[in-house]
Amino acid sequence: MTKWRSCDFHEAAQRYLADKLVEWGLLEGPTERVYELALQRRFTMAGTGHMLGLDVHDCATARTEAYVDGTLEPGMVLTVEPGLYFQPDDLTVPAEYRGIGVRIEDDILVTADGNENLSAGLPRASAEVEVWMRELPEPR
């Protein structure tokens, strides 16, 4: 069984974002060079995710070696939430992207044979989210 460190998902997401930013023409490639220089971080603004649970999230007793650099074990839950954020005054991105931020979050349960996406049933596409929001009851 492959042992995955908790930071592996961050590295995978950062590589993917670097690749897409090059593909979209927002950064000049090659992708590997963009990733090595961490140029994609200009648009990410935050980490890719973190562990979930009372004992690890914003907790002074959560140790980096156990949770950030540690090995993922069955029963652990983490959020994977890569995002891209384009500043409103950034003239290096097309005008239609300025001031926009997009982040999709999934909450993942580590299992003995892989993982379970606990948020898989939520809408993803903007049209699906808009329908879902319209169907919510009015606040009291």
Side-chain angles (χ1 to χ4, degrees), residues 36 66-67 79 129:
E36 287 172 8
Y67 295 106
T79 178
V129 172

Side-chain angles (χ1 to χ4, degrees), residues 94-120:
E96 63 268 21
Y97 295 159
R98 294 180 199 149
I100 293 176
V102 177
R103 180 175 88 187
I104 297 176
E105 179 174 330
D106 278 312
D107 297 332
I108 307 296
L109 168 66
V110 179
T111 64
D113 59 349
N115 66 73
E116 179 184 346
N117 184 345
L118 301 175
S119 50

Side-chain angles (χ1 to χ4, degrees), residues 42-140:
R42 173 179 175 200
F43 302 117
T44 59
M45 309 287 181
T48 304
H50 50 80
M51 303 303 285
L52 289 175
L54 293 175
D55 60 334
V56 295
H57 191 261
D58 298 328
C59 177
T61 60
R63 297 289 163 240
T64 299
E65 59 274 5
Y67 295 106
V68 175
D69 296 329
T71 301
L72 293 174
E73 301 290 341
M76 290 180 164
V77 179
L78 58 144
T79 178
V80 179
E81 50 187 17
L84 289 174
Y85 306 90
F86 302 106
Q87 299 305 306
D89 57 349
D90 188 343
L91 301 179
T92 68
V93 298
E96 63 268 21
Y97 295 159
R98 294 180 199 149
I100 293 176
V102 177
R103 180 175 88 187
I104 297 176
E105 179 174 330
D106 278 312
D107 297 332
I108 307 296
L109 168 66
V110 179
T111 64
D113 59 349
N115 66 73
E116 179 184 346
N117 184 345
L118 301 175
S119 50
L122 296 174
R124 297 287 175 198
S126 59
E128 294 171 333
V129 172
E130 289 172 8
V131 168
W132 182 51
M133 295 299 292
R134 280 194 301 272
E135 292 173 352
L136 290 175
E138 290 292 323
R140 294 181 180 191

